[in-house]
Amino acid sequence: MLPEYVTKIEGHGVLNIHFKECRARLEISEGERLFEAVLLGQDATRAPFITSRICGVCPTAHNLASIKAIENALSIKPNPITVELRELMLSGQIIFSHLLHLFFLVLPDYYQVASALKIAEKFPAEYHIALNLKRLSDKLLTVIGGRPIHPTLTTVGGFLKFPNKGDLVTLREDINEVLDEAEDFVKIFANISYPSLERKSEYLALNNGGYTFYDGEVLSSSGKKFLPENYKNYIKETVKDYSTAKFGHFAENGGFIVGALARLTLHQEKLNPKAQEMLKTIPHKFSAEVHNPFHNIPAQAIELLHFVEESAKIIDRLLKVNIPTTPPKPAISKPSKPTWGIGAVEAPRGILYHAYEIDTNGKIINADIVTPTVQNLTSLETDAEDLLRTLQLDQNDQKVCIKELEMLIRAYDPCITCSVH
Amino acid sequence: MTNPKIAIFDLTDCEGCELQFLALKEKLLEFANDFEIAAWRLVQPSENQLPKVDVAIIQGTIVTAKDQEIVKKVRERSKILVALGECARTGWIPAWIKKENQEEAIKYVYGPEYKPKRIDALPLKDLVKVDLELPGCPPEPKILEQFLEKIPELIKTNRHSEQSEESVANATSQTN
């Protein structure tokens, strides 16, 4: 018999519940592709091509974290236009991934339909909005990165091709056209009543002063700070016998949360204006003191609007500068001694670390990739058990428990292929 | 005539190939009306995870024992089997680690105590007969659209070839 894979999540996991012992686990059973071992012996400049293929949902995030890691190791400083374009891509990446999760994976749970294709039949207006947002994110990722899944135009040091102004002007107009719809999209998720579950947690997000997503130091809700370069001192991974994904822990505290919920909570006053307005309509507050994992859903919705606005802001800045037809090509020299480089970005699901050691021939001799889902897995297990305990107090039948636990898993938006990689 | 039954399966992979179906946007809905989607784990729950179908689309590399089991069962239960994308066609990046180096690679990533689920990294054709390949990492949405349009014709051709195989078999048994 085949295991009952949880549907409508990214990758293969089985929900294993022991009702008597009150234990609930998402057992990750995705096959090991061994990306870190694949990288060994490769030319470092080839890593972004390889590592974007870790994930079809957030390939641009892996691609950029990989590029940043190599640039850090080889002391390459990309020019300001390159950085702006990367931020624009990453912004498009977050819209792309949140949209997929919110509309295609999560919403059927709350609309009481089997799949997003059924939403299309029953709620055609909502489906229409979702497709227009998808069109925008696909176009953003195509104009800047070459295509939405597995970018083709990015490279260590910069870009193989810069977009022309005409394409950016059209993109800017497209954003204007969908801005109202993006607000309507957030309203769908703002008006849902989510299951209640509450405990104190710890949230981690990058911070450089704004609603950070491309760089910065790591900030925690309890006030701890560290540089991404030092992640190994703070983020520990353990191997478990029932999971092909490792489990992340933060220092001595154990479970923690990264992703939309952590970012929104830590940076809520820095949201763009329309997203800020929408935040006011949400009936609960976002705080690590009263962590409810289901609130990751409205947090992602608000972020989606924020990043549509953010994309417009970045394009407006780019339209004011002269974008050269030929991108600059910084010299790439091999390190004089084996050197580590670490790159971190906010992927849609949270902080993503890529770390490589590069030898004097420019080859990768060590690689470590820590994905957001791995960092969230410990908390997911805690929340699953808390939820099961709460449900059992109400003496719900087992089917209700299973359904609600699956909803919890979906709310976490685990990216299982990322977590195993 | 009932709508053709199709199913989409993912083995060990990034799921980028099946996401390309969503890139078809409005057209995906039109196709959803033309077909019965009998299984698609990423998008819907199904009564039967491995239903009998006219066309089975498989993406991903065969890495675990479960992957192997799925591929064999899907082959038995489908008339036409399609390899979607480079992992299904060639094994792609996971297959860069050869079986003889696998143990060392697993130790490097997980440490010495870990018991892997990985057996090998194989393309579909190493285990079953593949009727059609859709190339790309991931395949462009246009390729998927053209393929979906062609499904009724593929089923028709397949039916004819099955019938002619049957008649050949009958003729042979008569001569014996």
Side-chain angles (χ1 to χ4, degrees), chain A residues 1-3 8-12 31-32 53 56 100 105 114-115 127 135 138 147 244 246 366-367 417, chain B residues 10-15 19 22 25-26 29 41-43 45 49-50 66 108-110 114 116-118 137:
Chain A
M1 261 306 285
L2 281 180
K8 289 175 277 178
I9 59 169
E10 207 282 340
H12 297 88
E32 305 91 338
R53 282 153 177 83
L100 169 78
L105 310 183
S115 80
Y127 194 75
R135 229 182 304 280
D138 284 0
R147 55 183 190 170
T244 53
K246 297 171 189 170
N366 270 304
T417 59
Chain B
D10 41 35
L11 307 173
T12 294
D13 69 341
C14 82
E15 300 192 357
L19 287 177
L22 302 184
K25 304 180 181 83
E26 285 82 0
L29 275 191
R41 188 200 54 78
L42 182 66
V43 171
Q49 285 192 93
L50 293 172
K66 288 292 170 205
Y108 179 72
V109 176
Y110 289 94
Y114 178 74
K117 285 202 192 305
R118 176 169 169 141
C137 176

Side-chain angles (χ1 to χ4, degrees), chain A residues 342-415:
Chain A
I342 291 159
V345 295
E346 284 283 351
R349 291 164 188 76
I351 310 170
L352 167 67
Y353 304 90
H354 278 233
Y356 315 133
E357 188 180 17
I358 301 171
D359 74 5
T360 52
N361 295 314
K363 308 260 188 215
I364 294 179
I365 48 171
N366 270 304
D368 187 37
I369 296 164
V370 180
T371 64
T373 294
V374 159
Q375 297 169 69
N376 281 337
L377 278 177
T378 305
S379 283
L380 171 56
E381 213 159 77
T382 310
D383 284 333
E385 292 189 1
D386 281 358
L387 181 63
L388 181 60
R389 210 169 294 124
T390 320
L391 290 167
Q392 283 188 327
L393 283 176
D394 296 340
Q395 301 197 324
N396 273 315
D397 69 42
Q398 295 195 349
K399 269 192 182 155
V400 175
C401 292
I402 293 170
K403 186 168 179 277
E404 201 143 322
L405 280 162
E406 287 196 350
M407 282 165 70
L408 171 76
I409 292 168
R410 282 188 203 107
Y412 258 92
D413 190 14
C415 188

Side-chain angles (χ1 to χ4, degrees), chain A residues 14-323:
Chain A
V14 179
L15 173 61
N16 202 330
I17 309 174
H18 289 270
F19 285 96
K20 272 190 191 153
E21 293 170 34
C22 200
R23 211 176 68 225
R25 279 174 179 170
L26 174 65
E27 300 192 348
I28 305 285
S29 35
E30 193 79 29
E32 305 91 338
R33 289 172 297 166
L34 307 169
F35 268 90
E36 282 126 333
V38 166
L39 288 172
L40 300 181
Q42 300 279 355
D43 270 331
T45 51
R46 227 181 152 201
F49 173 92
I50 296 170
T51 56
S52 70
R53 282 153 177 83
I54 287 173
C55 182
V57 184
C58 54
T60 297
H62 281 284
N63 186 261
L64 293 178
S66 194
I67 287 175
K68 283 180 68 180
I70 299 157
E71 289 176 350
N72 284 343
L74 305 182
S75 308
I76 297 169
K77 223 174 139 45
N79 75 335
I81 291 176
T82 294
V83 174
E84 291 264 33
L85 286 169
R86 286 179 184 169
E87 289 183 355
L88 184 53
M89 278 178 84
L90 195 52
S91 178
Q93 167 72 92
I94 296 174
I95 301 169
F96 177 93
S97 175
H98 282 2
L99 179 73
L100 169 78
H101 176 243
L102 291 169
F103 193 79
F104 289 93
L105 310 183
V106 156
L107 199 54
D109 279 339
Y110 298 91
Y111 274 10
Q112 317 288 342
V113 292
S115 80
L117 299 175
K118 298 285 178 227
I119 295 179
E121 286 168 21
K122 289 191 179 170
F123 307 92
E126 281 82 347
Y127 194 75
H128 179 74
I129 291 176
L131 290 192
N132 281 343
L133 289 167
K134 169 123 185 79
R135 229 182 304 280
L136 174 71
S137 64
D138 284 0
K139 199 167 167 185
L140 256 170
L141 291 165
T142 305
V143 168
I144 315 299
R147 55 183 190 170
I149 300 176
H150 306 331
T152 51
L153 298 180
T154 54
T155 187
V156 173
F159 279 85
L160 299 173
K161 180 177 168 285
F162 276 159
N164 62 48
K165 280 226 159 142
D167 286 339
L168 289 177
V169 170
T170 319
L171 259 181
R172 186 63 184 82
E173 289 163 2
D174 291 343
I175 293 177
N176 270 354
E177 270 172 39
V178 299
L179 210 49
D180 288 346
E181 290 186 322
E183 273 183 70
D184 291 339
F185 188 77
V186 183
K187 282 178 194 155
I188 298 174
F189 298 92
N191 292 329
I192 287 173
S193 153
Y194 297 97
S196 48
L197 189 68
E198 218 175 271
R199 67 179 172 91
K200 189 178 175 335
S201 182
E202 177 114 65
Y203 290 170
L204 264 67
L206 291 180
N207 178 41
N208 65 4
Y211 201 102
T212 310
F213 59 111
Y214 180 73
D215 51 16
E217 62 178 0
V218 181
L219 174 69
S220 92
S221 53
S222 65
K224 293 189 186 72
K225 285 176 185 172
F226 64 89
L227 290 171
E229 287 80 347
N230 300 327
Y231 77 98
K232 274 193 175 171
N233 297 335
Y234 295 88
I235 312 289
K236 307 283 178 196
E237 289 184 310
T238 52
V239 176
K240 300 209 179 191
D241 57 2
Y242 56 85
S243 172
T244 53
K246 297 171 189 170
F247 277 58
H249 306 270
F250 177 50
E252 67 282 9
N253 300 340
F256 64 108
I257 297 281
V258 293
L261 189 50
R263 288 189 295 255
L264 184 76
T265 304
L266 291 170
H267 299 315
Q268 44 195 307
E269 71 283 7
K270 300 162 203 158
L271 284 166
N272 283 320
K274 285 178 193 296
Q276 189 71 254
E277 283 305 307
M278 288 307 298
L279 178 68
K280 288 182 192 152
T281 70
I282 307 270
H284 54 82
K285 69 170 187 171
F286 289 96
S287 159
E289 296 296 313
V290 286
H291 160 72
N292 176 349
F294 288 97
H295 293 164
N296 189 42
I297 297 166
Q300 282 191 347
I302 290 172
E303 273 202 341
L304 187 145
L305 177 60
H306 167 84
F307 281 108
V308 172
E309 293 179 271
E310 190 68 22
S311 303
K313 276 165 61 181
I314 299 171
I315 295 172
D316 286 343
R317 286 201 297 269
L318 283 165
L319 287 175
K320 284 188 195 131
V321 296
N322 177 37
I323 301 175

